[in-house]
mmCIF file of all heavy atoms in Angstrom:
data_model
loop_
_atom_site.group_PDB
_atom_site.id
_atom_site.type_symbol
_atom_site.label_atom_id
_atom_site.label_comp_id
_atom_site.label_asym_id
_atom_site.label_seq_id
_atom_site.Cartn_x
_atom_site.Cartn_y
_atom_site.Cartn_z
ATOM 1 N N MET E 1 -112.841 261.362 -53.278
ATOM 2 C CA MET E 1 -112.546 262.674 -52.716
ATOM 3 C C MET E 1 -113.801 263.281 -52.095
ATOM 4 O O MET E 1 -113.716 264.001 -51.114
ATOM 5 C CB MET E 1 -112.011 263.578 -53.813
ATOM 6 C CG MET E 1 -111.624 264.928 -53.325
ATOM 7 S SD MET E 1 -109.911 265.141 -53.685
ATOM 8 C CE MET E 1 -109.627 266.739 -53.108
ATOM 9 N N ARG E 2 -114.938 262.966 -52.643
ATOM 10 C CA ARG E 2 -116.170 263.533 -52.140
ATOM 11 C C ARG E 2 -116.471 263.059 -50.713
ATOM 12 O O ARG E 2 -116.996 263.803 -49.896
ATOM 13 C CB ARG E 2 -117.290 263.130 -53.073
ATOM 14 C CG ARG E 2 -118.537 263.892 -52.876
ATOM 15 C CD ARG E 2 -119.523 263.539 -53.966
ATOM 16 N NE ARG E 2 -120.371 264.669 -54.196
ATOM 17 C CZ ARG E 2 -121.147 264.816 -55.219
ATOM 18 N NH1 ARG E 2 -121.146 263.912 -56.170
ATOM 19 N NH2 ARG E 2 -121.918 265.857 -55.333
ATOM 20 N N TRP E 3 -116.155 261.803 -50.414
ATOM 21 C CA TRP E 3 -116.392 261.268 -49.079
ATOM 22 C C TRP E 3 -115.564 261.992 -48.033
ATOM 23 O O TRP E 3 -116.000 262.153 -46.899
ATOM 24 C CB TRP E 3 -116.108 259.761 -49.036
ATOM 25 C CG TRP E 3 -117.166 258.995 -49.765
ATOM 26 C CD1 TRP E 3 -117.059 258.425 -50.999
ATOM 27 C CD2 TRP E 3 -118.491 258.757 -49.338
ATOM 28 N NE1 TRP E 3 -118.223 257.835 -51.374
ATOM 29 C CE2 TRP E 3 -119.139 258.032 -50.343
ATOM 30 C CE3 TRP E 3 -119.209 259.092 -48.205
ATOM 31 C CZ2 TRP E 3 -120.456 257.626 -50.233
ATOM 32 C CZ3 TRP E 3 -120.521 258.680 -48.104
ATOM 33 C CH2 TRP E 3 -121.129 257.966 -49.103
ATOM 34 N N TRP E 4 -114.375 262.411 -48.412
ATOM 35 C CA TRP E 4 -113.534 263.145 -47.452
ATOM 36 C C TRP E 4 -114.182 264.467 -47.057
ATOM 37 O O TRP E 4 -114.085 264.892 -45.911
ATOM 38 C CB TRP E 4 -112.146 263.402 -48.036
ATOM 39 C CG TRP E 4 -111.355 262.143 -48.136
ATOM 40 C CD1 TRP E 4 -111.029 261.471 -49.282
ATOM 41 C CD2 TRP E 4 -110.804 261.390 -47.061
ATOM 42 N NE1 TRP E 4 -110.319 260.349 -48.986
ATOM 43 C CE2 TRP E 4 -110.158 260.268 -47.608
ATOM 44 C CE3 TRP E 4 -110.807 261.534 -45.685
ATOM 45 C CZ2 TRP E 4 -109.525 259.324 -46.844
ATOM 46 C CZ3 TRP E 4 -110.161 260.596 -44.920
ATOM 47 C CH2 TRP E 4 -109.525 259.502 -45.492
ATOM 48 N N LYS E 5 -114.851 265.098 -48.009
ATOM 49 C CA LYS E 5 -115.544 266.349 -47.685
ATOM 50 C C LYS E 5 -116.692 266.097 -46.713
ATOM 51 O O LYS E 5 -116.905 266.855 -45.771
ATOM 52 C CB LYS E 5 -116.074 267.002 -48.965
ATOM 53 C CG LYS E 5 -114.997 267.591 -49.835
ATOM 54 C CD LYS E 5 -115.588 268.232 -51.076
ATOM 55 C CE LYS E 5 -114.486 268.738 -51.975
ATOM 56 N NZ LYS E 5 -115.028 269.331 -53.207
ATOM 57 N N VAL E 6 -117.434 265.019 -46.947
ATOM 58 C CA VAL E 6 -118.551 264.679 -46.070
ATOM 59 C C VAL E 6 -118.038 264.378 -44.661
ATOM 60 O O VAL E 6 -118.599 264.840 -43.665
ATOM 61 C CB VAL E 6 -119.342 263.474 -46.639
ATOM 62 C CG1 VAL E 6 -120.381 262.988 -45.638
ATOM 63 C CG2 VAL E 6 -119.990 263.852 -47.956
ATOM 64 N N ILE E 7 -116.974 263.628 -44.575
ATOM 65 C CA ILE E 7 -116.387 263.307 -43.274
ATOM 66 C C ILE E 7 -115.885 264.573 -42.588
ATOM 67 O O ILE E 7 -116.059 264.758 -41.385
ATOM 68 C CB ILE E 7 -115.260 262.269 -43.436
ATOM 69 C CG1 ILE E 7 -115.856 260.926 -43.847
ATOM 70 C CG2 ILE E 7 -114.463 262.127 -42.148
ATOM 71 C CD1 ILE E 7 -114.831 259.890 -44.229
ATOM 72 N N GLY E 8 -115.274 265.462 -43.342
ATOM 73 C CA GLY E 8 -114.784 266.720 -42.780
ATOM 74 C C GLY E 8 -115.902 267.586 -42.241
ATOM 75 O O GLY E 8 -115.796 268.143 -41.144
ATOM 76 N N VAL E 9 -116.981 267.692 -42.988
ATOM 77 C CA VAL E 9 -118.115 268.495 -42.536
ATOM 78 C C VAL E 9 -118.748 267.865 -41.297
ATOM 79 O O VAL E 9 -119.091 268.561 -40.333
ATOM 80 C CB VAL E 9 -119.154 268.652 -43.672
ATOM 81 C CG1 VAL E 9 -120.449 269.254 -43.147
ATOM 82 C CG2 VAL E 9 -118.591 269.514 -44.775
ATOM 83 N N ALA E 10 -118.880 266.539 -41.288
ATOM 84 C CA ALA E 10 -119.460 265.856 -40.133
ATOM 85 C C ALA E 10 -118.603 266.053 -38.890
ATOM 86 O O ALA E 10 -119.124 266.269 -37.796
ATOM 87 C CB ALA E 10 -119.621 264.368 -40.438
ATOM 88 N N SER E 11 -117.301 265.984 -39.042
ATOM 89 C CA SER E 11 -116.427 266.186 -37.882
ATOM 90 C C SER E 11 -116.506 267.624 -37.385
ATOM 91 O O SER E 11 -116.500 267.870 -36.181
ATOM 92 C CB SER E 11 -114.993 265.786 -38.206
ATOM 93 O OG SER E 11 -114.473 266.624 -39.213
ATOM 94 N N PHE E 12 -116.605 268.574 -38.301
ATOM 95 C CA PHE E 12 -116.740 269.972 -37.910
ATOM 96 C C PHE E 12 -118.028 270.183 -37.117
ATOM 97 O O PHE E 12 -118.026 270.860 -36.082
ATOM 98 C CB PHE E 12 -116.734 270.879 -39.150
ATOM 99 C CG PHE E 12 -116.925 272.328 -38.827
ATOM 100 C CD1 PHE E 12 -115.890 273.071 -38.293
ATOM 101 C CD2 PHE E 12 -118.151 272.940 -39.024
ATOM 102 C CE1 PHE E 12 -116.064 274.415 -37.975
ATOM 103 C CE2 PHE E 12 -118.342 274.269 -38.704
ATOM 104 C CZ PHE E 12 -117.301 275.005 -38.189
ATOM 105 N N VAL E 13 -119.120 269.594 -37.570
ATOM 106 C CA VAL E 13 -120.398 269.717 -36.872
ATOM 107 C C VAL E 13 -120.298 269.079 -35.488
ATOM 108 O O VAL E 13 -120.815 269.614 -34.498
ATOM 109 C CB VAL E 13 -121.527 269.077 -37.712
ATOM 110 C CG1 VAL E 13 -122.813 268.961 -36.909
ATOM 111 C CG2 VAL E 13 -121.772 269.895 -38.965
ATOM 112 N N GLY E 14 -119.614 267.949 -35.394
ATOM 113 C CA GLY E 14 -119.442 267.292 -34.102
ATOM 114 C C GLY E 14 -118.656 268.140 -33.127
ATOM 115 O O GLY E 14 -119.003 268.244 -31.952
ATOM 116 N N VAL E 15 -117.603 268.750 -33.601
ATOM 117 C CA VAL E 15 -116.778 269.604 -32.734
ATOM 118 C C VAL E 15 -117.580 270.828 -32.289
ATOM 119 O O VAL E 15 -117.531 271.220 -31.118
ATOM 120 C CB VAL E 15 -115.483 270.028 -33.460
ATOM 121 C CG1 VAL E 15 -114.751 271.118 -32.710
ATOM 122 C CG2 VAL E 15 -114.578 268.824 -33.665
ATOM 123 N N ALA E 16 -118.338 271.414 -33.193
ATOM 124 C CA ALA E 16 -119.152 272.583 -32.841
ATOM 125 C C ALA E 16 -120.207 272.207 -31.806
ATOM 126 O O ALA E 16 -120.433 272.958 -30.843
ATOM 127 C CB ALA E 16 -119.802 273.154 -34.095
ATOM 128 N N ALA E 17 -120.850 271.060 -31.968
ATOM 129 C CA ALA E 17 -121.875 270.631 -31.014
ATOM 130 C C ALA E 17 -121.262 270.377 -29.642
ATOM 131 O O ALA E 17 -121.856 270.721 -28.616
ATOM 132 C CB ALA E 17 -122.567 269.374 -31.529
ATOM 133 N N THR E 18 -120.077 269.792 -29.615
ATOM 134 C CA THR E 18 -119.395 269.559 -28.345
ATOM 135 C C THR E 18 -119.083 270.882 -27.654
ATOM 136 O O THR E 18 -119.245 271.013 -26.438
ATOM 137 C CB THR E 18 -118.105 268.758 -28.573
ATOM 138 O OG1 THR E 18 -118.436 267.529 -29.215
ATOM 139 C CG2 THR E 18 -117.389 268.479 -27.274
ATOM 140 N N GLY E 19 -118.653 271.859 -28.417
ATOM 141 C CA GLY E 19 -118.369 273.181 -27.856
ATOM 142 C C GLY E 19 -119.602 273.817 -27.233
ATOM 143 O O GLY E 19 -119.526 274.442 -26.177
ATOM 144 N N VAL E 20 -120.742 273.651 -27.880
ATOM 145 C CA VAL E 20 -121.992 274.206 -27.350
ATOM 146 C C VAL E 20 -122.341 273.540 -26.027
ATOM 147 O O VAL E 20 -122.724 274.210 -25.061
ATOM 148 C CB VAL E 20 -123.134 274.031 -28.372
ATOM 149 C CG1 VAL E 20 -124.477 274.329 -27.749
ATOM 150 C CG2 VAL E 20 -122.901 274.928 -29.581
ATOM 151 N N VAL E 21 -122.204 272.234 -25.963
ATOM 152 C CA VAL E 21 -122.524 271.495 -24.722
ATOM 153 C C VAL E 21 -121.606 271.948 -23.588
ATOM 154 O O VAL E 21 -122.047 272.180 -22.461
ATOM 155 C CB VAL E 21 -122.411 269.978 -24.961
ATOM 156 C CG1 VAL E 21 -122.477 269.210 -23.660
ATOM 157 C CG2 VAL E 21 -123.499 269.523 -25.915
ATOM 158 N N ILE E 22 -120.329 272.098 -23.879
ATOM 159 C CA ILE E 22 -119.370 272.522 -22.856
ATOM 160 C C ILE E 22 -119.678 273.947 -22.391
ATOM 161 O O ILE E 22 -119.630 274.239 -21.199
ATOM 162 C CB ILE E 22 -117.927 272.404 -23.391
ATOM 163 C CG1 ILE E 22 -117.559 270.933 -23.545
ATOM 164 C CG2 ILE E 22 -116.944 273.124 -22.484
ATOM 165 C CD1 ILE E 22 -116.253 270.692 -24.260
ATOM 166 N N ALA E 23 -120.012 274.825 -23.313
ATOM 167 C CA ALA E 23 -120.320 276.212 -22.948
ATOM 168 C C ALA E 23 -121.554 276.279 -22.047
ATOM 169 O O ALA E 23 -121.571 277.035 -21.077
ATOM 170 C CB ALA E 23 -120.537 277.043 -24.205
ATOM 171 N N ARG E 24 -122.573 275.483 -22.353
ATOM 172 C CA ARG E 24 -123.769 275.475 -21.513
ATOM 173 C C ARG E 24 -123.451 274.981 -20.108
ATOM 174 O O ARG E 24 -123.905 275.546 -19.119
ATOM 175 C CB ARG E 24 -124.837 274.573 -22.115
ATOM 176 C CG ARG E 24 -125.586 275.192 -23.231
ATOM 177 C CD ARG E 24 -126.714 274.290 -23.650
ATOM 178 N NE ARG E 24 -127.380 274.833 -24.825
ATOM 179 C CZ ARG E 24 -128.256 274.171 -25.541
ATOM 180 N NH1 ARG E 24 -128.564 272.935 -25.211
ATOM 181 N NH2 ARG E 24 -128.816 274.728 -26.570
ATOM 182 N N ALA E 25 -122.690 273.912 -20.018
ATOM 183 C CA ALA E 25 -122.336 273.371 -18.712
ATOM 184 C C ALA E 25 -121.520 274.381 -17.909
ATOM 185 O O ALA E 25 -121.711 274.526 -16.699
ATOM 186 C CB ALA E 25 -121.557 272.072 -18.869
ATOM 187 N N GLU E 26 -120.624 275.079 -18.579
ATOM 188 C CA GLU E 26 -119.797 276.079 -17.901
ATOM 189 C C GLU E 26 -120.658 277.226 -17.383
ATOM 190 O O GLU E 26 -120.455 277.715 -16.276
ATOM 191 C CB GLU E 26 -118.733 276.606 -18.866
ATOM 192 C CG GLU E 26 -117.741 277.553 -18.245
ATOM 193 C CD GLU E 26 -116.826 276.877 -17.236
ATOM 194 O OE1 GLU E 26 -116.722 275.645 -17.228
ATOM 195 O OE2 GLU E 26 -116.210 277.602 -16.437
ATOM 196 N N ARG E 27 -121.629 277.659 -18.165
ATOM 197 C CA ARG E 27 -122.513 278.732 -17.723
ATOM 198 C C ARG E 27 -123.314 278.312 -16.506
ATOM 199 O O ARG E 27 -123.488 279.087 -15.565
ATOM 200 C CB ARG E 27 -123.468 279.141 -18.849
ATOM 201 C CG ARG E 27 -123.002 280.377 -19.559
ATOM 202 C CD ARG E 27 -124.044 280.875 -20.531
ATOM 203 N NE ARG E 27 -123.633 280.428 -21.862
ATOM 204 C CZ ARG E 27 -124.380 279.744 -22.692
ATOM 205 N NH1 ARG E 27 -125.613 279.429 -22.389
ATOM 206 N NH2 ARG E 27 -123.911 279.366 -23.851
ATOM 207 N N ARG E 28 -123.817 277.073 -16.512
ATOM 208 C CA ARG E 28 -124.559 276.586 -15.348
ATOM 209 C C ARG E 28 -123.668 276.523 -14.124
ATOM 210 O O ARG E 28 -124.075 276.865 -13.026
ATOM 211 C CB ARG E 28 -125.125 275.201 -15.634
ATOM 212 C CG ARG E 28 -126.344 275.214 -16.467
ATOM 213 C CD ARG E 28 -126.988 273.843 -16.509
ATOM 214 N NE ARG E 28 -127.802 273.756 -17.697
ATOM 215 C CZ ARG E 28 -127.748 272.769 -18.569
ATOM 216 N NH1 ARG E 28 -126.942 271.761 -18.377
ATOM 217 N NH2 ARG E 28 -128.514 272.777 -19.626
ATOM 218 N N ARG E 29 -122.442 276.059 -14.317
ATOM 219 C CA ARG E 29 -121.522 275.927 -13.185
ATOM 220 C C ARG E 29 -121.178 277.283 -12.603
ATOM 221 O O ARG E 29 -121.122 277.459 -11.396
ATOM 222 C CB ARG E 29 -120.243 275.216 -13.636
ATOM 223 C CG ARG E 29 -119.301 274.907 -12.500
ATOM 224 C CD ARG E 29 -118.031 274.268 -12.994
ATOM 225 N NE ARG E 29 -117.199 275.176 -13.751
ATOM 226 C CZ ARG E 29 -116.401 276.092 -13.219
ATOM 227 N NH1 ARG E 29 -116.336 276.239 -11.928
ATOM 228 N NH2 ARG E 29 -115.669 276.868 -13.992
ATOM 229 N N ARG E 30 -120.974 278.263 -13.430
ATOM 230 C CA ARG E 30 -120.596 279.592 -12.944
ATOM 231 C C ARG E 30 -121.760 280.358 -12.349
ATOM 232 O O ARG E 30 -121.568 281.391 -11.720
ATOM 233 C CB ARG E 30 -119.974 280.396 -14.080
ATOM 234 C CG ARG E 30 -118.615 279.893 -14.448
ATOM 235 C CD ARG E 30 -117.983 280.763 -15.479
ATOM 236 N NE ARG E 30 -116.699 280.199 -15.854
ATOM 237 C CZ ARG E 30 -115.655 280.916 -16.174
ATOM 238 N NH1 ARG E 30 -115.734 282.224 -16.184
ATOM 239 N NH2 ARG E 30 -114.519 280.341 -16.498
ATOM 240 N N ALA E 31 -122.973 279.870 -12.526
ATOM 241 C CA ALA E 31 -124.149 280.561 -11.995
ATOM 242 C C ALA E 31 -124.255 280.391 -10.480
ATOM 243 O O ALA E 31 -124.967 281.132 -9.832
ATOM 244 C CB ALA E 31 -125.414 280.047 -12.673
ATOM 245 N N TYR E 32 -123.571 279.410 -9.921
ATOM 246 C CA TYR E 32 -123.631 279.169 -8.488
ATOM 247 C C TYR E 32 -122.656 280.070 -7.742
ATOM 248 O O TYR E 32 -121.563 280.336 -8.218
ATOM 249 C CB TYR E 32 -123.287 277.718 -8.160
ATOM 250 C CG TYR E 32 -124.276 276.725 -8.695
ATOM 251 C CD1 TYR E 32 -123.932 275.835 -9.690
ATOM 252 C CD2 TYR E 32 -125.566 276.680 -8.185
ATOM 253 C CE1 TYR E 32 -124.847 274.925 -10.186
ATOM 254 C CE2 TYR E 32 -126.486 275.770 -8.665
ATOM 255 C CZ TYR E 32 -126.118 274.898 -9.668
ATOM 256 O OH TYR E 32 -127.021 274.004 -10.144
ATOM 257 N N THR E 33 -123.064 280.496 -6.557
ATOM 258 C CA THR E 33 -122.148 281.256 -5.709
ATOM 259 C C THR E 33 -121.224 280.258 -5.011
ATOM 260 O O THR E 33 -121.569 279.073 -4.891
ATOM 261 C CB THR E 33 -122.922 282.061 -4.651
ATOM 262 O OG1 THR E 33 -123.577 281.159 -3.775
ATOM 263 C CG2 THR E 33 -123.921 283.007 -5.287
ATOM 264 N N PRO E 34 -120.078 280.709 -4.535
ATOM 265 C CA PRO E 34 -119.180 279.797 -3.822
ATOM 266 C C PRO E 34 -119.845 279.138 -2.617
ATOM 267 O O PRO E 34 -119.592 277.968 -2.331
ATOM 268 C CB PRO E 34 -118.027 280.701 -3.392
ATOM 269 C CG PRO E 34 -118.023 281.798 -4.389
ATOM 270 C CD PRO E 34 -119.465 282.022 -4.752
ATOM 271 N N GLU E 35 -120.706 279.856 -1.926
ATOM 272 C CA GLU E 35 -121.396 279.282 -0.772
ATOM 273 C C GLU E 35 -122.318 278.146 -1.195
ATOM 274 O O GLU E 35 -122.426 277.128 -0.505
ATOM 275 C CB GLU E 35 -122.190 280.357 -0.023
ATOM 276 C CG GLU E 35 -121.340 281.389 0.664
ATOM 277 C CD GLU E 35 -120.819 282.456 -0.298
ATOM 278 O OE1 GLU E 35 -121.435 282.668 -1.374
ATOM 279 O OE2 GLU E 35 -119.784 283.051 0.009
ATOM 280 N N GLN E 36 -122.997 278.310 -2.329
ATOM 281 C CA GLN E 36 -123.876 277.270 -2.830
ATOM 282 C C GLN E 36 -123.073 276.030 -3.220
ATOM 283 O O GLN E 36 -123.506 274.901 -2.962
ATOM 284 C CB GLN E 36 -124.674 277.766 -4.033
ATOM 285 C CG GLN E 36 -125.733 278.785 -3.698
ATOM 286 C CD GLN E 36 -126.355 279.379 -4.939
ATOM 287 O OE1 GLN E 36 -125.679 279.584 -5.942
ATOM 288 N NE2 GLN E 36 -127.651 279.657 -4.878
ATOM 289 N N VAL E 37 -121.926 276.238 -3.819
ATOM 290 C CA VAL E 37 -121.078 275.114 -4.208
ATOM 291 C C VAL E 37 -120.605 274.363 -2.964
ATOM 292 O O VAL E 37 -120.671 273.127 -2.906
ATOM 293 C CB VAL E 37 -119.874 275.600 -5.044
ATOM 294 C CG1 VAL E 37 -118.904 274.468 -5.305
ATOM 295 C CG2 VAL E 37 -120.347 276.205 -6.351
ATOM 296 N N ARG E 38 -120.151 275.087 -1.959
ATOM 297 C CA ARG E 38 -119.695 274.451 -0.718
ATOM 298 C C ARG E 38 -120.818 273.659 -0.055
ATOM 299 O O ARG E 38 -120.628 272.530 0.409
ATOM 300 C CB ARG E 38 -119.162 275.498 0.252
ATOM 301 C CG ARG E 38 -117.774 275.961 -0.078
ATOM 302 C CD ARG E 38 -117.219 276.854 1.039
ATOM 303 N NE ARG E 38 -116.295 277.798 0.433
ATOM 304 C CZ ARG E 38 -116.570 279.060 0.154
ATOM 305 N NH1 ARG E 38 -117.733 279.575 0.467
ATOM 306 N NH2 ARG E 38 -115.668 279.829 -0.433
ATOM 307 N N ALA E 39 -122.009 274.261 0.003
ATOM 308 C CA ALA E 39 -123.153 273.581 0.630
ATOM 309 C C ALA E 39 -123.486 272.298 -0.117
ATOM 310 O O ALA E 39 -123.737 271.257 0.503
ATOM 311 C CB ALA E 39 -124.354 274.515 0.664
ATOM 312 N N ARG E 40 -123.477 272.349 -1.431
ATOM 313 C CA ARG E 40 -123.793 271.158 -2.227
ATOM 314 C C ARG E 40 -122.723 270.085 -2.050
ATOM 315 O O ARG E 40 -123.048 268.897 -1.928
ATOM 316 C CB ARG E 40 -123.934 271.541 -3.701
ATOM 317 C CG ARG E 40 -124.264 270.390 -4.589
ATOM 318 C CD ARG E 40 -125.661 269.848 -4.300
ATOM 319 N NE ARG E 40 -125.900 268.706 -5.167
ATOM 320 C CZ ARG E 40 -126.371 267.543 -4.762
ATOM 321 N NH1 ARG E 40 -126.696 267.375 -3.505
ATOM 322 N NH2 ARG E 40 -126.536 266.559 -5.592
ATOM 323 N N LEU E 41 -121.467 270.473 -2.007
ATOM 324 C CA LEU E 41 -120.391 269.506 -1.796
ATOM 325 C C LEU E 41 -120.514 268.844 -0.427
ATOM 326 O O LEU E 41 -120.312 267.636 -0.290
ATOM 327 C CB LEU E 41 -119.022 270.174 -1.937
ATOM 328 C CG LEU E 41 -118.589 270.497 -3.362
ATOM 329 C CD1 LEU E 41 -117.317 271.329 -3.335
ATOM 330 C CD2 LEU E 41 -118.390 269.229 -4.161
ATOM 331 N N ARG E 42 -120.862 269.623 0.581
ATOM 332 C CA ARG E 42 -121.043 269.050 1.928
ATOM 333 C C ARG E 42 -122.215 268.071 1.957
ATOM 334 O O ARG E 42 -122.133 267.017 2.588
ATOM 335 C CB ARG E 42 -121.254 270.166 2.942
ATOM 336 C CG ARG E 42 -119.971 270.923 3.221
ATOM 337 C CD ARG E 42 -120.148 271.971 4.302
ATOM 338 N NE ARG E 42 -118.887 272.664 4.514
ATOM 339 C CZ ARG E 42 -118.734 273.979 4.409
ATOM 340 N NH1 ARG E 42 -119.761 274.741 4.151
ATOM 341 N NH2 ARG E 42 -117.549 274.516 4.599
ATOM 342 N N GLU E 43 -123.303 268.406 1.255
ATOM 343 C CA GLU E 43 -124.443 267.499 1.174
ATOM 344 C C GLU E 43 -124.044 266.185 0.500
ATOM 345 O O GLU E 43 -124.379 265.105 0.989
ATOM 346 C CB GLU E 43 -125.573 268.138 0.372
ATOM 347 C CG GLU E 43 -126.289 269.269 1.061
ATOM 348 C CD GLU E 43 -127.266 269.970 0.127
ATOM 349 O OE1 GLU E 43 -127.550 269.432 -0.975
ATOM 350 O OE2 GLU E 43 -127.726 271.059 0.484
ATOM 351 N N ARG E 44 -123.331 266.294 -0.616
ATOM 352 C CA ARG E 44 -122.924 265.094 -1.348
ATOM 353 C C ARG E 44 -121.952 264.253 -0.520
ATOM 354 O O ARG E 44 -122.024 263.028 -0.543
ATOM 355 C CB ARG E 44 -122.296 265.479 -2.679
ATOM 356 C CG ARG E 44 -123.317 266.031 -3.654
ATOM 357 C CD ARG E 44 -122.712 266.626 -4.873
ATOM 358 N NE ARG E 44 -121.995 265.629 -5.654
ATOM 359 C CZ ARG E 44 -121.274 265.904 -6.717
ATOM 360 N NH1 ARG E 44 -121.165 267.152 -7.136
ATOM 361 N NH2 ARG E 44 -120.643 264.954 -7.368
ATOM 362 N N TYR E 45 -121.069 264.909 0.220
ATOM 363 C CA TYR E 45 -120.128 264.185 1.075
ATOM 364 C C TYR E 45 -120.874 263.445 2.178
ATOM 365 O O TYR E 45 -120.595 262.279 2.458
ATOM 366 C CB TYR E 45 -119.122 265.161 1.679
ATOM 367 C CG TYR E 45 -118.101 264.503 2.591
ATOM 368 C CD1 TYR E 45 -117.050 263.772 2.058
ATOM 369 C CD2 TYR E 45 -118.226 264.597 3.970
ATOM 370 C CE1 TYR E 45 -116.116 263.158 2.894
ATOM 371 C CE2 TYR E 45 -117.312 263.992 4.816
ATOM 372 C CZ TYR E 45 -116.253 263.268 4.259
ATOM 373 O OH TYR E 45 -115.351 262.648 5.083
ATOM 374 N N ALA E 46 -121.841 264.114 2.786
ATOM 375 C CA ALA E 46 -122.618 263.484 3.854
ATOM 376 C C ALA E 46 -123.409 262.284 3.328
ATOM 377 O O ALA E 46 -123.563 261.277 4.027
ATOM 378 C CB ALA E 46 -123.571 264.498 4.476
ATOM 379 N N GLU E 47 -123.896 262.350 2.100
ATOM 380 C CA GLU E 47 -124.611 261.226 1.498
ATOM 381 C C GLU E 47 -123.666 260.071 1.166
ATOM 382 O O GLU E 47 -124.055 258.912 1.287
ATOM 383 C CB GLU E 47 -125.324 261.673 0.233
ATOM 384 C CG GLU E 47 -126.481 262.609 0.477
ATOM 385 C CD GLU E 47 -127.033 263.190 -0.812
ATOM 386 O OE1 GLU E 47 -126.527 262.825 -1.902
ATOM 387 O OE2 GLU E 47 -127.958 264.002 -0.735
ATOM 388 N N ALA E 48 -122.452 260.382 0.778
ATOM 389 C CA ALA E 48 -121.514 259.346 0.334
ATOM 390 C C ALA E 48 -120.870 258.608 1.497
ATOM 391 O O ALA E 48 -120.583 257.419 1.394
ATOM 392 C CB ALA E 48 -120.428 259.975 -0.534
ATOM 393 N N ILE E 49 -120.631 259.300 2.604
ATOM 394 C CA ILE E 49 -119.980 258.696 3.763
ATOM 395 C C ILE E 49 -121.048 258.214 4.743
ATOM 396 O O ILE E 49 -121.801 259.035 5.288
ATOM 397 C CB ILE E 49 -119.050 259.711 4.454
ATOM 398 C CG1 ILE E 49 -118.031 260.262 3.474
ATOM 399 C CG2 ILE E 49 -118.381 259.103 5.674
ATOM 400 C CD1 ILE E 49 -117.092 259.225 2.902
ATOM 401 N N PRO E 50 -121.138 256.913 4.974
ATOM 402 C CA PRO E 50 -122.135 256.441 5.939
ATOM 403 C C PRO E 50 -121.738 256.859 7.355
ATOM 404 O O PRO E 50 -120.549 256.914 7.685
ATOM 405 C CB PRO E 50 -122.110 254.925 5.782
ATOM 406 C CG PRO E 50 -120.784 254.620 5.162
ATOM 407 C CD PRO E 50 -120.376 255.841 4.391
ATOM 408 N N PRO E 51 -122.724 257.151 8.186
ATOM 409 C CA PRO E 51 -122.395 257.537 9.566
ATOM 410 C C PRO E 51 -121.746 256.366 10.302
ATOM 411 O O PRO E 51 -122.118 255.214 10.115
ATOM 412 C CB PRO E 51 -123.739 257.905 10.179
ATOM 413 C CG PRO E 51 -124.781 257.334 9.275
ATOM 414 C CD PRO E 51 -124.144 257.140 7.929
ATOM 415 N N SER E 52 -120.780 256.678 11.132
ATOM 416 C CA SER E 52 -120.113 255.616 11.888
ATOM 417 C C SER E 52 -121.025 255.151 13.027
ATOM 418 O O SER E 52 -121.756 255.923 13.632
ATOM 419 C CB SER E 52 -118.789 256.126 12.431
ATOM 420 O OG SER E 52 -119.010 257.252 13.260
ATOM 421 N N ILE E 53 -120.924 253.870 13.313
ATOM 422 C CA ILE E 53 -121.802 253.274 14.334
ATOM 423 C C ILE E 53 -121.156 253.398 15.708
ATOM 424 O O ILE E 53 -120.047 253.255 15.966
ATOM 425 C CB ILE E 53 -122.097 251.793 14.003
ATOM 426 C CG1 ILE E 53 -122.854 251.746 12.696
ATOM 427 C CG2 ILE E 53 -122.890 251.131 15.098
ATOM 428 C CD1 ILE E 53 -123.132 250.358 12.165
#
């Protein structure tokens, strides 16, 4: 029975850590203005698509 408690606590810590990572990523994502997001997407698209010959 004791091992189940250890596993439960470990899973709780894992879920909490995942939540922190997601919250940080969301804050970074929301820090950009829509214009900045569009500009970055256009840059990435231009890098991904080779120019036609």
Side-chain angles (χ1 to χ4, degrees):
M1 182 120 179
R2 194 173 209 166
W3 288 104
W4 290 108
K5 288 181 184 178
V6 172
I7 291 172
V9 169
S11 64
F12 178 76
V13 170
V15 169
T18 302
V20 168
V21 169
I22 290 171
R24 281 186 185 169
E26 185 68 17
R27 261 188 260 126
R28 282 190 203 130
R29 186 183 69 79
R30 289 185 183 214
Y32 295 113
T33 65
E35 292 79 23
Q36 289 172 324
V37 173
R38 281 188 210 101
R40 180 67 182 132
L41 285 172
R42 287 184 180 123
E43 288 172 12
R44 290 170 63 186
Y45 180 76
E47 291 172 2
I49 304 298
S52 59
I53 297 175

